[in-house]
Amino acid sequence: MKKISRKLVLLLSLVAVLAITVGGTLAYLQATTGLLTNTFKLADVHTKIEEELSDTKQVSILNEGESDVYVRVRLSLSGLTEAQMGAVQVISDGDVTDDEYAAYKGADCITILTHGKWAQTTSVFNPDGFFYYTAELGAKQKTELPLEIVVGSGAGVTKEQNFEVIVYHESVLARTSDLTDASKIAEQFE
């Protein structure tokens, strides 16, 4: 009988030591670790088109959201004849002189000017149809220079044609910052 009681005492002692150790560890962790709160904030991606009409049409994008974004714009020209559509040209020239503007305004074509940071993905005319702003557009910021459409007086566009420039745009959260290549920015939209 004495052997059983010694084993029982030893077993109860071991259980008591484990209980004190586990209880002490839990008490220590509770005393040293405060309540943790994980706070998540959703991205705020909200952009809008701003257009100015004078003798040209100027298109800019305003980021009204709180998150940095990349933007792209597609311009669709409607109400033109096939010959007029064939005479549309894109000029990637940031600084246009007054003489160049006069030449574009008197030309027999419609010219799309990509000022500043606007670019296409390749040198071939817009394979995906978009012009990309090749910088992050910060919260509450506007594209620094516009896309501009100049209708040359010799292009044969008449008031009866119902000629329209339709502007469509998309924006995406700038998950990768500091991209400046239109092709790399295009990948962000996939």
Side-chain angles (χ1 to χ4, degrees), residues 11 15 29 41 44 47 57 90 93 98 119 172-174 183 188:
L11 184 61
V15 169
L29 290 175
K41 184 177 178 186
D44 181 20
T47 54
K57 180 173 191 158
V90 176
D93 187 10
D98 290 341
V172 66
L173 180 66
S183 297
Q188 302 299 305

Side-chain angles (χ1 to χ4, degrees), residues 55-56 58 89-106 111-116 145-150:
D55 54 343
T56 66
Q58 298 179 356
Q89 67 177 350
V90 176
I91 306 291
S92 297
D93 187 10
D95 296 322
V96 179
T97 66
D98 290 341
D99 291 339
E100 289 172 321
Y101 264 121
Y104 295 140
K105 289 175 186 173
T111 305
I112 299 171
L113 299 170
T114 58
H115 297 295
L145 293 171
L147 281 169
E148 190 167 15
I149 299 92
V150 181

Side-chain angles (χ1 to χ4, degrees), residues 110-136:
I110 297 170
T111 305
I112 299 171
L113 299 170
T114 58
H115 297 295
K117 296 178 180 172
W118 288 103
Q120 298 169 286
T121 52
T122 67
S123 59
V124 179
F125 177 71
N126 248 358
D128 69 355
F130 284 101
F131 294 93
Y132 291 86
Y133 191 68
T134 57
E136 254 181 64

Side-chain angles (χ1 to χ4, degrees), residues 49-51 57-61 72-78 80 85 88-91 110-115 118-120 125-126 128-132 146-150 163-170:
I49 299 168
E50 290 190 346
E51 299 174 311
K57 180 173 191 158
Q58 298 179 356
V59 177
S60 298
I61 305 297
R72 65 183 182 177
V73 170
R74 177 179 285 155
L75 302 174
S76 299
L77 309 176
S78 70
L80 296 176
M85 281 301 294
V88 173
Q89 67 177 350
V90 176
I91 306 291
I110 297 170
T111 305
I112 299 171
L113 299 170
T114 58
H115 297 295
W118 288 103
Q120 298 169 286
F125 177 71
N126 248 358
D128 69 355
F130 284 101
F131 294 93
Y132 291 86
L147 281 169
E148 190 167 15
I149 299 92
V150 181
F163 168 63
E164 288 184 301
V165 177
I166 301 162
V167 181
Y168 169 78
H169 87 292
E170 294 177 348

